Amino acid sequence: MHMKTVLVVEDEREIARMVQTYLMREGYRVEVAFTGEEGWTLFKDLQPDLVVLDLMLPGMHGLEVARRIRQGATTPIIMLTARTEEADRVAGLEMGADDYVTKPFSLRELAARVRAVLRRTEGTTVPEVIRVGKLTVDLAAREARLGGGLLDLTPTEFDLLAFFARHPGRVFTRRELLEALQERTYATLPRTVDSHVKNLRHKIEPDPEDPTYILTVHGVGYKFRPPEGG
Ligand code: CA
């Protein structure tokens, strides 16, 4: 098996070196860039198997690096973000980043995500149709079906459902979900998300009072149920 190459783009040198050392010990070839520009150049030269990308970079922002990568490649991207960068995190996921890790993070957690993302993306592309339980979400056709029957969803409800379905098992705060929908709703109140979720549940849940697809995470927000019912 050929050694996987990981490109780490992170301006905090100490963090970059620690990540490099740890991932090398895990058996990866690791190259480091300290700026967005350098990261983009190295990406083109190396054609790495995965990119660990800090968002807050001097000069070219991490989101811009992600955008350039996504224009021509499906290389998995794991973002490094601060807890306060919710909007960027969501923008990054929307732009096609595969996962994120919030600073401060443990090296073991990052390595686990690198492994998981590489496993998940190995020889696959982003599916256009996502199936969870009896639910089918066709991202290209912007259609959702429940047990074969076409669901009558508003554009916002479809966007919310599609966002959930693309990130199963991840917990999102109301504010993050709002950011994900912002272009469509112009709403600013996190509680707006609750009413969208409520309406969606009435359309997709067998029992809206006891939801099995969109789960409430008390005190935090919501998450979509993982594919294998786990
Ligand atoms: Ca930084």
Side-chain angles (χ1 to χ4, degrees):
M1 201 184 88
H2 100 276
M3 198 186 245
K4 300 274 186 200
T5 302
V6 176
L7 171 62
V8 177
V9 188
E10 163 65 88
D11 61 306
E12 287 168 80
R13 286 171 190 252
E14 208 172 310
I15 294 179
R17 290 300 177 204
M18 275 181 350
V19 169
Q20 182 178 36
T21 307
Y22 196 93
L23 290 179
M24 280 169 73
R25 251 190 271 144
E26 295 276 298
Y28 301 102
R29 174 185 170 210
V30 185
E31 300 292 334
V32 173
F34 299 116
T35 66
E37 285 81 357
E38 200 188 335
W40 172 234
T41 305
L42 264 183
F43 176 83
K44 286 182 289 181
D45 290 350
L46 287 171
Q47 298 288 311
D49 296 290
L50 182 141
V51 181
V52 174
L53 179 64
D54 182 32
L55 286 190
M56 290 299 280
L57 295 166
M60 192 193 293
H61 193 275
L63 284 177
E64 175 59 18
V65 180
R67 195 184 65 79
R68 292 188 184 195
I69 291 174
R70 270 295 162 274
Q71 272 180 347
T74 56
T75 313
I77 300 172
I78 297 178
M79 301 180 287
L80 300 179
T81 71
R83 212 167 283 285
T84 50
E85 294 163 15
E86 273 179 294
D88 282 352
R89 190 152 66 228
V90 174
L93 288 172
E94 284 290 271
M95 205 162 275
D98 297 83
D99 206 345
Y100 66 84
V101 173
T102 309
K103 291 178 177 181
F105 57 88
S106 79
L107 291 167
R108 187 206 289 236
E109 184 197 354
L110 177 64
R113 292 221 191 272
V114 166
R115 248 193 325 273
V117 167
L118 279 174
R119 204 183 311 125
R120 205 168 67 214
T121 55
E122 198 119 272
T124 64
T125 48
V126 179
E128 293 271 281
V129 178
I130 301 170
R131 289 186 183 82
V132 180
K134 291 190 162 121
L135 197 61
T136 308
V137 183
D138 188 330
L139 300 174
R142 290 187 60 83
E143 281 176 3
R145 288 169 190 276
L146 188 66
L150 192 62
L151 290 167
D152 183 18
L153 303 179
T154 66
T156 303
E157 287 164 2
F158 180 84
D159 284 350
L160 185 61
L161 182 61
F163 184 77
F164 272 130
R166 274 182 291 150
H167 309 290
R170 294 232 54 155
V171 178
F172 292 103
T173 64
R174 291 178 176 82
R175 190 155 292 284
E176 285 172 325
L177 293 170
L178 199 60
E179 294 285 349
L181 296 175
Q182 201 156 51
E183 279 178 31
R184 202 174 276 292
T185 64
Y186 303 101
T188 53
L189 291 173
R191 291 287 155 189
T192 311
V193 168
D194 293 345
S195 59
H196 291 309
V197 166
K198 190 173 164 216
N199 294 339
L200 250 186
R201 278 177 172 162
H202 276 279
K203 294 180 181 180
I204 68 172
E205 299 285 359
D207 176 4
E209 300 305 317
D210 184 20
T212 58
Y213 289 102
I214 301 175
L215 312 174
T216 301
V217 182
H218 289 288
V220 187
Y222 299 99
K223 75 170 181 184
F224 197 69
R225 118 178 176 201
E228 276 102 28

